[in-house]
Amino acid sequence: MMKRYAVVLAAGQGTRMKSKLYKVLHPVCGKPMVEHVVDQISQLEPDEVVTIVGHGAEQVQTHLKDRSVFALQKEQLGTAHAVLQAKSVLGDKEGVTLVVCGDTPLIQGHTMEDLMKYHQEKRAKATILTTVLDDPAGYGRIIRDDLGIVEKIVEQKDASEKEQRVNEINTGTYCFDNQALFEALSKVSNENAQGEYYLPDVIKILKDEDEVVAAYRMENAKESLGVNDRVALAEAQEIMRHRINEKHMRNGVTLIDPANTYIDVDVEIGQDTIVGPNASIHGNTVIGADCEITGASVLDNAILGERVQVRHSSIYDSKVGDDVQVGPYSHLRPESEISEGVKIGNFVETKKATIGKNSKIPHFIYMGDAEIGENVNIGCGSIAVNYDGKNKAKTIIGDDVFIGCNSNLVAPVNIGNRAFVAAGTTVTKDVPEDALAISRVKQENKEGYAKKLNFSK
């Protein structure tokens, strides 16, 4: 089988984005644009991927890691000059090379596969990926002869009135015979108004040498969208979101209002789960079957079991077992582990807390740096006092414990199995198993004293 290579153009600064963030690292549905491109390329099982980097090179390398080798374009002198930077890696190799822009996050692996197959079928030295637009203004036009053979690419500013009426455009993605590509790149001139080396000039060079140049027209024009500003970024997000949501619905997930449901590309959702309007599900979240996510809930890198109900709540970097109820208006902060059958009620916050099976934390509670056993009931308004102003400390609660309302558990503290903490108690030392802890001041009623406070007139 012929060797396959890919060159990803990711060196441009992207000044039109008006951002401190390097252009190809702007996320689309939870993943930087350049990662979307490399993910799709990986479906082709290429022998080598070379990413051309410039501005923000280290950041791109950090994201892609060992999925690509990198070539530095110190000066941005055009797309042909960018591809030429891959010569030290690919220049002497035989095979087929795909060239893709790192700011085209919507292009799909099957489209690139079809392009490469078409290229080989036509025995071409270069094949242009094209599409048809209703409004092609601003794009390079594909000019064909009467037999449909590609004659040239004409840029908008150089096109005649007749050529401007052509609506087949150059998407900026190409397939080349690798050796023919680098031979032609050495002949590209920068004698133009911008003084840059342009990749489409390779097409003219190969045509002048009577080599076969083909063009593969893809049906879905949306895949060709290049993101150069925030308007295009929003458009790409919308298209990608529709693609993601459709995939989940076809896999058996109910989205009540898909247009207002925000799911990142790497999220996994089980069958018969229902997701309500305005839910945001991000990162590497995994949701089991038969769950219900309602209201404006936010899940970010959350792992949910089956039959979990999340109502108007947020879960970050945490794990939730089967048959758990969360919310409404609760916040599970990172490193929370909620076992099966637990009830997390209204306005509850956890952080770095483990909660055992069938425990109940019903409302207005904070449990941070806590280890809570099974079948525990924690009353309204109770908190784990985990911070003394300098250090964090841990609260440990055994099995079958009852914590009364408005209790303060001042860490470090250990409450034994089956212990009972009376309402209003501040616990400052360990409570043995089967003990009652109570620290209230004895109530005293002073008759008529309220009149002296002059609250009423």
Side-chain angles (χ1 to χ4, degrees):
M1 182 178 176
M2 187 172 291
K3 296 280 189 180
R4 290 179 165 187
Y5 312 106
V7 176
V8 181
L9 303 182
Q13 187 173 5
T15 54
R16 280 184 282 172
M17 295 295 288
K18 291 182 169 49
S19 174
K20 296 184 290 297
L21 183 64
Y22 186 41
K23 181 174 77 166
V24 298
L25 295 181
H26 277 266
V28 173
C29 294
K31 182 174 287 187
M33 290 191 283
V34 70
E35 278 198 61
H36 280 291
V37 174
V38 173
D39 282 351
Q40 297 302 312
I41 289 173
S42 68
Q43 296 179 19
L44 310 178
E45 299 182 346
D47 295 276
E48 195 83 78
V49 177
V50 183
T51 301
I52 311 302
V53 293
H55 297 282
E58 292 182 0
Q59 297 175 54
V60 176
Q61 291 175 24
T62 297
H63 278 278
L64 296 181
K65 299 177 181 175
D66 59 356
R67 301 176 64 196
S68 173
V69 297
F70 302 92
L72 180 64
Q73 186 187 23
K74 293 181 181 179
E75 295 182 86
Q76 278 64 63
L77 301 178
T79 49
H81 179 260
V83 177
L84 191 59
Q85 307 314 300
K87 185 175 182 179
S88 60
V89 181
L90 301 178
D92 60 348
K93 298 182 185 294
E94 293 185 356
V96 177
T97 296
L98 185 74
V99 177
V100 190
C101 294
D103 62 358
T104 55
L106 299 174
I107 193 165
Q108 298 189 80
H110 65 79
T111 299
M112 293 185 278
E113 180 71 50
D114 291 344
L115 171 65
M116 297 186 91
K117 287 181 178 179
Y118 187 84
H119 173 83
Q120 291 177 279
E121 289 170 2
K122 296 299 180 182
R123 301 181 182 276
K125 293 296 183 181
T127 302
I128 311 157
L129 181 65
T130 74
T131 195
V132 172
L133 298 179
D134 293 335
D135 180 10
Y139 289 91
R141 308 300 204 280
I142 304 300
I143 307 302
R144 299 176 184 260
D145 65 16
D146 293 339
L147 297 176
I149 297 171
V150 174
E151 289 186 333
K152 59 183 177 178
I153 301 173
V154 179
E155 297 304 321
Q156 169 85 24
K157 62 182 183 299
D158 300 321
S160 66
E161 186 176 339
K162 179 181 178 181
E163 290 169 337
Q164 288 188 20
R165 289 197 294 270
V166 173
N167 61 359
E168 184 181 10
I169 61 100
N170 174 21
T171 67
T173 296
Y174 306 86
C175 189
F176 295 99
D177 173 271
N178 188 67
Q179 292 186 336
L181 168 63
F182 285 99
E183 288 174 11
L185 283 171
S186 66
K187 302 172 186 177
V188 174
S189 167
N190 68 340
E191 294 180 2
N192 52 57
Q194 284 72 35
E196 294 187 353
Y197 301 87
Y198 292 125
L199 191 57
D201 289 352
V202 169
I203 303 300
K204 183 178 185 306
I205 289 168
L206 293 174
K207 285 291 294 183
D208 290 346
E209 294 173 352
D210 293 324
E211 300 287 4
V212 176
V213 173
Y216 175 74
R217 184 184 299 172
M218 66 176 176
E219 295 299 322
N220 186 358
K222 292 178 180 179
E223 290 186 44
S224 67
L225 178 66
V227 175
N228 292 309
D229 56 28
R230 305 296 180 119
V231 175
L233 181 65
E235 186 179 352
Q237 294 254 38
E238 183 178 359
I239 295 168
M240 180 72 75
R241 188 167 65 247
H242 181 272
R243 185 187 294 176
I244 292 167
N245 289 355
E246 181 177 336
K247 178 194 74 172
H248 287 297
M249 288 187 287
R250 294 193 183 281
N251 288 339
V253 177
T254 295
L255 304 184
I256 302 299
D257 184 2
N260 291 292
T261 303
Y262 307 91
I263 303 174
D264 282 354
V265 65
D266 289 330
V267 169
E268 299 177 24
I269 307 177
Q271 289 185 357
D272 292 315
T273 285
I274 299 171
V275 181
N278 299 312
S280 296
I281 307 175
H282 302 302
N284 294 308
T285 293
V286 178
I287 301 172
D290 300 298
C291 295
E292 185 175 5
I293 315 298
T294 64
S297 292
V298 178
L299 309 181
D300 195 335
N301 294 321
I303 309 298
L304 274 59
E306 298 185 349
R307 300 174 300 280
V308 175
Q309 186 179 66
V310 180
R311 295 179 293 164
H312 300 275
S313 295
S314 301
I315 304 175
Y316 295 87
D317 300 291
S318 295
K319 296 180 180 179
V320 176
D322 296 343
D323 301 297
V324 170
Q325 297 178 47
V326 180
Y329 312 114
S330 289
H331 184 188
L332 274 55
R333 290 166 55 193
E335 298 184 65
S336 294
E337 294 193 23
I338 315 301
S339 301
E340 63 186 69
V342 169
K343 180 180 179 181
I344 305 286
N346 305 27
F347 300 100
V348 172
E349 181 178 352
T350 67
K351 188 274 295 183
K352 204 173 182 179
T354 61
I355 302 175
K357 295 179 182 178
N358 301 314
S359 288
K360 294 179 175 59
I361 306 182
H363 30 242
F364 297 99
I365 291 166
Y366 171 68
M367 288 289 128
D369 299 286
E371 183 180 313
I372 300 168
E374 299 180 5
N375 302 307
V376 172
N377 188 95
I378 299 181
C380 174
S382 297
I383 64 171
V385 185
N386 61 329
Y387 183 54
D388 65 5
K390 290 185 179 180
N391 302 301
K392 297 288 181 67
K394 191 170 186 179
T395 297
I396 299 175
I397 302 173
D399 297 337
D400 303 299
V401 171
F402 184 92
I403 307 293
C405 294
N406 292 315
S407 295
N408 298 311
L409 312 179
V410 183
V413 69
N414 192 324
I415 299 174
N417 296 333
R418 299 174 303 281
F420 193 109
V421 176
T425 294
T426 295
V427 178
T428 58
K429 59 184 180 180
D430 291 352
V431 180
E433 292 185 357
D434 301 300
L436 166 65
I438 184 168
S439 66
R440 303 176 196 151
V441 175
K442 183 179 178 181
Q443 182 173 332
E444 181 180 352
N445 296 331
K446 295 186 177 183
E447 297 291 337
Y449 194 83
K451 293 180 179 179
K452 296 180 182 181
L453 300 177
N454 198 27
F455 285 148
S456 59
K457 295 182 179 179

